[in-house]
């Protein structure tokens, strides 16, 4: 409800800055960037799963650490960009920023649970601290470093795609654990919140 309409705004920003006739032929740049975010994190998840499957057979601690480093490295970049956008993004005032902050906090809790489940002790020792540092690093960069609006648009689109994948993967429960009533209640509540705020 919130991310997809924002992509349309970012598309307008991007179209106003493109002078290159070849790039203008690619009409939906922002949506492609969102797709790259979604596909990139999907590929990451497939690689991590495949490496874990191979690692289970070998029980190799070095391979396990390599899987952890790849996973945390990508989520470090992800969290840094989200921290940057917390300062530099467009939210329609303090109320919009507050809702973005709360949504991202819930999202980070879900990602934390997923990564802790995947990497256990090494995540508790290193991963959670690195990912917390990433958000602070992004926030600090956003406070002191401004980049062109078109770059903010591209970053926001990339993260939107990645967030959509992570929400579908982690925040929607598996069929056997799902409650249609709770799901629909959440959709209606958030839709009304977006419409009236």
């Amino acid at each position: 409800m919130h991310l997809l309409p924002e992509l349309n705004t970012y598309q307008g920003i991007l179209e106003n800055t493109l002078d290159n006739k070849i790039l203008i032929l690619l009409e939906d740049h922002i949506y492609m960037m969102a797709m790259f975010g979604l596909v990139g994190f999907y590929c990451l998840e497939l690689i991590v799963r495949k490496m874990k499957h191979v690692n289970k057979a070998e029980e190799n601690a070095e391979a396990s650490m390599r899987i952890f480093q790849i996973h945390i490295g990508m989520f470090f970049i992800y969290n840094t960009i989200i921290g940057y956008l917390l300062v530099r993004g467009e939210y329609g005032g303090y109320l919009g920023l507050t809702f973005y902050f709360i949504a991202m906090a819930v999202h980070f809790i879900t990602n934390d649970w997923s990564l802790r489940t995947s990497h256990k002790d090494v995540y508790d020792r290193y991963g959670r601290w690195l990912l917390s540092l990433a958000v602070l690093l992004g926030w600090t960069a956003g406070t002191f470093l401004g980049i062109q609006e078109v770059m903010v648009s591209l970053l926001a689109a990339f993260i939107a795609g990645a967030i959509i994948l992570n929400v579908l993967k982690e925040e929607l429960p598996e069929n056997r654990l799902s409650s249609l009533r709770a799901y629909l209640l959440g959709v209606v509540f958030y839709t009304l919140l977006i419409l009236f705020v």
Side-chain angles (χ1 to χ4, degrees), residues 29-95:
H29 303 85
I30 285 296
Y31 300 103
M32 285 190 286
M33 195 65 171
M35 183 191 65
F36 292 149
L38 189 143
V39 170
F41 274 84
Y42 180 70
C43 290
L44 169 70
E45 289 302 316
L46 288 179
I47 290 167
V48 166
R49 278 191 211 149
K50 186 171 183 159
M51 289 175 76
K52 277 184 156 194
H53 182 69
V54 169
N55 188 36
K56 274 186 182 177
E58 297 174 6
E59 294 185 18
N60 184 342
E62 185 179 316
S64 191
M65 183 55 86
R66 192 170 44 244
I67 294 167
F68 170 76
Q69 289 168 342
I70 292 168
H71 219 181
I72 293 301
M74 283 299 290
F75 275 95
F76 187 90
I77 294 166
Y78 178 83
N79 284 11
T80 302
I81 294 171
I82 290 173
Y84 183 87
L85 293 174
L86 187 61
V87 177
R88 293 290 175 175
E90 298 291 324
Y91 306 105
Y94 289 112
L95 194 57

Side-chain angles (χ1 to χ4, degrees), residues 69-125:
Q69 289 168 342
I70 292 168
H71 219 181
I72 293 301
M74 283 299 290
F75 275 95
F76 187 90
I77 294 166
Y78 178 83
N79 284 11
T80 302
I81 294 171
I82 290 173
Y84 183 87
L85 293 174
L86 187 61
V87 177
R88 293 290 175 175
E90 298 291 324
Y91 306 105
Y94 289 112
L95 194 57
L97 178 62
T98 301
F99 286 133
Y100 176 78
F101 177 82
I102 291 169
M104 288 299 99
V106 170
H107 183 66
F108 285 149
I109 289 167
T110 305
N111 284 345
D112 179 71
W113 177 83
S114 174
L115 290 166
R116 177 174 281 119
T117 301
S118 294
H119 301 292
K120 304 196 180 3
D121 295 333
V122 70
Y123 178 77
D124 284 337
R125 261 185 273 139

